[in-house]
Amino acid sequence: INLPSNEAAVAVAVGRGWVATATSARLLRIFSSTGLQTHITYTKVELVCIIGGDNQLAVFYYSGPLQ
């Protein structure tokens, strides 16, 4: 999977039949196991990590001010 040149993957999660990546542009991209992007969303907050399993994706983010 190739990301646009202005984005870098900062986190990756894998589930059954899908892969998710959080990018430096604060985008959360979800791809099928064949490489087709199925979802994309902008995250207004800075992500800490993402975790995948089976058909679930957990997204952890900062909720307070960054120091």
Side-chain angles (χ1 to χ4, degrees):
I1 297 172
N2 294 320
L3 294 174
S5 60
N6 62 338
E7 283 183 66
V10 296
V12 176
V14 179
R16 184 180 298 163
W18 59 269
V19 175
T21 184
T23 74
S24 56
R26 291 194 174 175
L27 294 173
L28 182 62
R29 297 175 179 270
I30 302 176
F31 299 89
S32 69
S33 58
T34 61
L36 177 67
Q37 183 172 288
T38 58
H39 297 84
I40 184 171
T41 188
Y42 176 74
T43 60
K44 295 179 182 181
V45 295
E46 186 174 347
L47 300 182
V48 176
C49 69
I50 57 177
I51 301 169
D54 199 23
N55 64 347
Q56 297 180 341
L57 174 65
V59 178
F60 296 87
Y61 58 90
Y62 291 106
S63 63
L66 299 176
Q67 296 184 5

